[in-house]
Every structure is written in structure tokens, then in C-alpha cells.
């Protein structure tokens, strides 16, 4: 079972049901090295929390398809193909260590990386300390200030009719309370249905729990 398949709890109260083999963050922080493996999410959902541990964070995977990212107008971090407001701040070999690998060579590549860190403990210590320092600056006040700045700057650059023309060209739909849940892709629906919806009953009490309108796209978004 997944962590989000638990019964609804009070807001900010952790779920008392965990997946088999799940390692809580407090337990992860006891280790010298924390590994990040490719998953189904396009977002760095827990990376900033694990950076706070003061451990060396090792990200395993493939280099991003930079050409595709550039064509889409994205400026995601050079080491991985994930999205998060903290992503552009992260630097490989400064805040974390990226190990480029494949399914066939992951054990060999990871062992070589750990052996290198064990031979250079000062480097490992710097990685852990800088990652922790960066993550500690990402308070909610900082997040809100960032979002306010982005929305303000974006609104100043708006031109009449641009949003409407973009919506027509992309065949996008207007998001309302009545169709809100049709925009939630299958991978995210368990959390939305079991946790988010119960936390925000007042706002979504009359919103029908409709199925997704279409399959999720490769970017993690769909119209």
C-alpha cells in the first residue's frame, strides 16, 4: 500500500499507515549517504527535506535531455530532469552528488562514487554542509516571497488577449470547481482523494469527484 492510501487524518497530522519497507525521514537522517533513485514523479518532492539531514545526497540517473528542455523553454537543473522551485538553485558537486548510471551499471557506479567520497571526507562534509545550508534558507516566508515575485513580474508582462489565444491554440479548458478533479492525473489522484479533499472539505464540498479527462502527458501536465 502507498502512504496516501490511509484514512483521512487531521490536517498536518502524519498518516499512521506506511508502505512496506518505508523509511521515515528521521530514520534516513541517521545515514551518512542518502540515495535518490528515478521514480514516477517529475517533482523533487522530498529532496529539500533530505538535504536538511546533513547527509551526502547522491542522485542516481541519466543526464536530462537538454535539447528537449531548451526547446520547451525550460531551465531545469543541468544534472536532472525534475521540476521544483528550488531546482535552479541546486548545483551538482556543490549541494549534492549526481552519479550518471544505467540499470546495468548502477551498483558499480554507486560503489565507485561512495569509495571516492570515503577517500575524500572533507569533500563529502562540504557537500553535506552546503546542501543543508541551502535547504535551510527555503523557509515558507521565502517560498511565499518568491511566488509573489513571480506572479507580480508575470502580470506586468501580460499583454491583452495573450492568455486567451494561448488557451485556444493549446485547446486548454477553463478550470472551475465543477471540473477541477478532471485535471488531476492518475498518479496523483490517491493523495488528492484520500488526503487533500478531506483537508479542504469546506472549499471542495460541492465539487464532484470526476475521473481524469485524458491521459497524462510526458511533461506531467495535461489540458
Amino acid at each position: 500500500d502507498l502512504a496516501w492510501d490511509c484514512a483521512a487524518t487531521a490536517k498536518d497530522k502524519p498518516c499512521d499507515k506506511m508502505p512496506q519497507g518505508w523509511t521515515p525521514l528521521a530514520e534516513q537522517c541517521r545515514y551518512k549517504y542518502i540515495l535518490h533513485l528515478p521514480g514516477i514523479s517529475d517533482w523533487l518532492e522530498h529532496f529539500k527535506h533530505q538535504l536538511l539531514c546533513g547527509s551526502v545526497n547522491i542522485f542516481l540517473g541519466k543526464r536530462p535531455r537538454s535539447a528537449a528542455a531548451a526547446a520547451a523553454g525550460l531551465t531545469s537543473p543541468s544534472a536532472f530532469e525534475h521540476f521544483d522551485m528550488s531546482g535552479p538553485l541546486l548545483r551538482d558537486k556543490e549541494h549534492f552528488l549526481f552519479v550518471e548510471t544505467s540499470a546495468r551499471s548502477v551498483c558499480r557506479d554507486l560503489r565507485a562514487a561512495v569509495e571516492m567520497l570515503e577517500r575524500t571526507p572533507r569533500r563529502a562534509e562540504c557537500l553535506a554542509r552546503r546542501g543543508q545550508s541551502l535547504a535551510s534558507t527555503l523557509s515558507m516566508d521565502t517560498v511565499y516571497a518568491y511566488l509573489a515575485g513571480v506572479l507580480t513580474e508575470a502580470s506586468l508582462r501580460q499583454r491583452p488577449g495573450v492568455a486567451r489565444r494561448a488557451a485556444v491554440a493549446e485547446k486548454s479548458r477553463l478550470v472551475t470547481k465543477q471540473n477541477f478533479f478532471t485535471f488531476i492525473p492518475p498518479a496523483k489522484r490517491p493523495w488528492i482523494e484520500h488526503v487533500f479533499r478531506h483537508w479542504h472539505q469546506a472549499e471542495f464540498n460541492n465539487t464532484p469527484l470526476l475521473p481524469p479527462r485524458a491521459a497524462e502527458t510526458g511533461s506531467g501536465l495535461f489540458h
Side-chain angles (χ1 to χ4, degrees):
D1 292 335
L2 296 172
W4 52 53
D5 282 339
C6 62
T9 61
K11 189 173 182 179
D12 297 327
K13 181 181 178 182
C15 177
D16 57 3
K17 181 180 180 183
M18 295 295 175
Q20 185 177 4
W22 181 268
T23 305
L25 181 62
E27 177 69 16
Q28 295 178 41
C29 289
R30 296 176 54 189
Y31 291 87
K32 182 188 294 187
Y33 305 113
I34 297 179
L35 307 183
H36 300 265
L37 304 173
I40 63 170
S41 177
D42 293 319
W43 298 86
L44 296 171
E45 297 181 37
H46 305 293
F47 202 15
K48 50 187 167 289
H49 303 124
Q50 289 156 323
L51 287 171
L52 280 170
C53 288
S55 306
V56 177
N57 283 261
I58 301 176
F59 200 98
L60 299 163
K62 295 181 179 180
R63 294 288 177 182
R65 300 182 295 275
S66 55
L74 302 175
T75 56
S76 55
S78 60
F80 43 80
E81 202 168 26
H82 289 68
F83 303 97
D84 186 270
M85 65 157 290
S86 64
L89 302 175
L90 295 168
R91 297 288 181 269
D92 179 21
K93 299 183 178 65
E94 181 177 344
H95 305 112
F96 69 100
L97 181 66
F98 180 83
V99 177
E100 186 169 9
T101 187
S102 65
R104 293 184 177 182
S105 62
V106 61
C107 293
R108 181 178 66 249
D109 296 335
L110 176 59
R111 180 175 180 176
V114 171
E115 288 178 347
M116 178 273 293
L117 292 170
E118 289 292 306
R119 291 194 306 269
T120 56
R122 291 289 299 275
R123 180 182 182 184
E125 182 181 344
C126 285
L127 276 172
R129 186 172 64 250
R130 288 171 181 166
Q132 187 179 46
S133 178
L134 173 64
S136 66
T137 66
L138 300 176
S139 65
M140 288 310 301
D141 287 340
T142 303
V143 172
Y144 292 144
Y146 168 81
L147 292 175
V150 169
L151 293 174
T152 300
E153 291 297 321
S155 66
L156 293 175
R157 288 162 174 75
Q158 285 282 4
R159 296 291 183 271
V162 171
R164 184 176 297 277
R165 290 199 301 273
V168 171
E170 296 181 1
K171 299 180 180 179
S172 299
R173 295 180 300 141
L174 178 67
V175 180
T176 68
K177 278 196 173 183
Q178 292 303 304
N179 69 5
F180 176 80
F181 288 109
T182 67
F183 287 86
I184 308 300
K188 281 77 174 178
R189 289 186 73 86
W191 184 85
I192 289 290
E193 293 180 15
H194 292 277
V195 180
F196 176 88
R197 189 163 176 255
H198 293 278
W199 283 355
H200 301 279
Q201 283 184 346
E203 294 85 353
F204 291 93
N205 187 42
N206 295 321
T207 302
L209 194 60
L210 300 174
R213 178 173 179 270
E216 188 173 4
T217 65
S219 65
L221 305 174
F222 64 134
H223 302 290

